[in-house]
Amino acid sequence: MLYDAECGLCTFVRDWLARQRQLVPLEFVPAGSAAARGRYPGLDHAATLSDITVIGDGGQLYRGPAAWVVCMWALRQYRPTAHRMTTPAGLKVAKQVVLGAAKYREARWDRRAGGNAYRREDGWVYDRKDGWHYTRQDAAAGPAACDSGCRTAD
């Protein structure tokens, strides 16, 4: 399972899945990571950051609601639920769950980023415990510059 390692919801779900009794072993790989790129070189890695992606041991690719159903199918307690989710009505429910999770992620991302995404190449670093931190010093502004671009002493 490829998951967004910087998303609180995704890491929560990963941790929950890892604690469940598995009939089929699940491996968790951070989406877009060097490990993911090395294991799956032909995969659209940008897409894996926006939608849950599961790759089966035979190379099968599952995204969105189907990926959630596959994860549930791998769990001992939830296999019967996964079978129910493969019906047309069940897939509609699975899709609603995935859309709800996507809305939650988008709302959290927009609130955290002030409507704009923090980007690593701009000097931002994400810590799961404390959130985003700006680390790069702008050489032109010097150490006295604040985040808003003002200077404390001119």
Side-chain angles (χ1 to χ4, degrees):
M1 176 183 148
L2 299 172
Y3 70 98
D4 184 348
E6 295 182 359
C7 167
L9 175 63
C10 297
T11 56
F12 174 83
V13 169
R14 178 213 52 207
D15 293 345
W16 180 83
L17 287 168
R19 288 191 308 269
Q20 304 306 305
R21 237 171 129 190
Q22 300 174 7
L23 294 173
V24 177
L26 293 171
E27 293 181 42
F28 306 100
V29 179
S33 68
R37 292 177 191 284
R39 284 176 106 167
Y40 313 108
L43 190 62
D44 177 0
H45 291 278
T48 65
L49 285 166
S50 62
D51 206 359
I52 180 175
T53 304
V54 174
I55 300 170
D57 56 2
Q60 312 92 318
L61 182 66
Y62 305 94
R63 286 208 169 114
W68 287 111
V69 172
V70 169
C71 286
M72 290 173 56
W73 181 83
L75 305 177
R76 182 173 189 251
Q77 184 176 352
Y78 295 95
R79 186 165 277 187
T81 303
H83 284 289
R84 286 193 303 276
M85 292 293 200
T86 61
T87 66
L91 282 174
K92 286 181 183 178
V93 171
K95 183 177 181 178
Q96 291 303 314
V97 169
V98 171
L99 290 174
K103 286 181 182 180
Y104 170 84
R105 286 188 67 201
E106 183 178 355
R108 299 250 323 146
W109 187 261
D110 284 348
R111 185 170 56 239
R112 183 173 60 222
N116 299 313
Y118 293 145
R119 298 171 359 140
R120 292 183 187 284
E121 57 268 19
D122 292 336
W124 290 94
V125 175
Y126 183 78
D127 178 280
R128 284 181 57 194
K129 186 175 164 188
D130 299 320
W132 287 97
H133 299 279
Y134 187 74
T135 60
R136 186 184 304 172
Q137 280 289 345
D138 184 3
C146 67
D147 287 339
S148 65
C150 64
R151 294 183 183 269
T152 54
D154 277 334

